[in-house]
Amino acid sequence: MIHPKTEVRFINEKVGYGVVATDFLPKGTITWVQDSLDRIFSLGEAEGLPKVQKEILDKFSFTNSRGEKVLCWDNAKFVNHSFRPSCFSTAYDFEIAIRDIYPGEELTDDYGYLNIEEPFAAMDEGHKRKIVYPDDLLTYYKEWDAMILDCLPYIYNVEQALLPILPASTRIEIERLKIDPRNMRSLLECYYPRSLTIQNSIDYGYETK
């Protein structure tokens, strides 16, 4: 579920539509939580869809650490990529604002941690990275973990509209990180080795590209 103080707006001709804040979202705000309304497709289900449906699923879903396709039920599926994102995922199935997000500002992710299948050239933002690669998570997870760790203290000091959506077990884990943040689970847990996709496709009887 995307944060309630957001809406979909047309951004520009390059990226199309995106999600923007309708109110101030301070650093540390939980901006998205994977919830029970999100649809999860196994590899077999995804590959078995008619072409027109599979194209939509590939466009609007992300791949989790088990190789499943996760299709968000709400506007979260319109969050765009940025090499300078305003939000970042965690190993706890939620995302947080890694800086203050002001009204009218876009909520963006780094698609480098979404287990994309093929590299793609992103819009030039003056960043050293120009292309998103399937294995970016392996390359940058230590840097990204450090950034998330820096945001942890802010989580406890801001209003969290999505806190009730978090599973009780996750809330307990987050509370325990107050005592020792070094126990934070690494974003590397979100990585799905693409070699498993190939093996699973063989097991299911599908051909891979």
Side-chain angles (χ1 to χ4, degrees):
M1 181 176 181
I2 197 73
H3 197 284
K5 293 181 179 179
T6 61
E7 65 181 18
V8 172
R9 292 182 191 172
F10 181 76
I11 306 302
N12 56 47
E13 294 291 343
K14 178 76 173 179
V15 302
Y17 290 86
V19 177
V20 302
T22 57
D23 202 345
F24 177 60
L25 302 178
K27 180 178 179 178
T29 300
I30 296 174
T31 56
W32 172 82
V33 176
Q34 184 174 323
D35 67 18
S36 58
L37 293 180
D38 292 326
R39 177 71 192 277
I40 299 177
F41 294 80
S42 68
L43 177 64
E45 289 176 311
E47 292 294 342
L49 291 173
K51 181 180 178 182
V52 64
Q53 289 182 309
K54 188 173 185 304
E55 289 175 349
I56 293 173
L57 183 63
D58 288 343
K59 179 177 181 180
F60 288 109
S61 68
F62 68 90
T63 302
N64 65 19
S65 61
R66 295 179 295 278
E68 300 164 327
K69 295 283 189 179
V70 181
L71 180 63
C72 297
W73 67 272
D74 62 0
N75 290 337
K77 60 181 170 287
F78 292 105
V79 173
N80 290 314
H81 163 79
S82 174
F83 289 126
R84 303 181 187 276
S86 56
C87 306
F88 225 84
S89 190
T90 69
Y92 301 93
D93 289 332
F94 68 80
E95 295 192 352
I96 58 174
I98 57 173
R99 55 178 173 78
D100 291 344
I101 304 174
Y102 293 90
E105 188 175 1
E106 193 176 0
L107 278 67
T108 52
D109 282 341
D110 190 320
Y111 283 14
Y113 50 68
L114 296 182
N115 295 306
I116 62 171
E117 295 185 17
E118 297 178 354
F120 70 88
M123 186 168 60
D124 190 348
E125 301 174 83
H127 194 276
K128 64 180 180 180
R129 292 169 60 205
K130 309 296 181 185
I131 299 175
V132 183
Y133 291 101
D135 289 340
D136 274 348
L137 187 47
L138 294 180
T139 304
Y140 300 107
Y141 78 91
K142 291 183 179 179
E143 175 184 330
W144 292 344
D145 280 350
M147 181 174 56
I148 297 168
L149 192 60
D150 173 69
C151 291
L152 273 183
Y154 296 86
I155 291 179
Y156 312 105
N157 299 319
V158 300
E159 180 184 355
Q160 299 292 3
L162 295 181
L163 192 62
I165 309 298
L166 285 178
S169 57
T170 302
R171 294 200 297 268
I172 291 172
E173 280 193 81
I174 299 305
E175 282 297 314
R176 287 175 177 170
L177 291 179
K178 277 185 178 180
I179 302 172
D180 191 351
R182 293 173 299 177
N183 290 327
M184 185 189 77
R185 288 157 53 190
S186 173
L187 192 61
L188 188 60
E189 291 185 19
C190 299
Y191 180 69
Y192 178 68
R194 195 54 56 183
S195 59
L196 292 182
T197 300
I198 297 174
Q199 183 59 51
N200 289 340
S201 296
I202 294 173
D203 294 340
Y204 278 111
Y206 300 117
E207 292 183 1
T208 55
K209 294 181 180 180

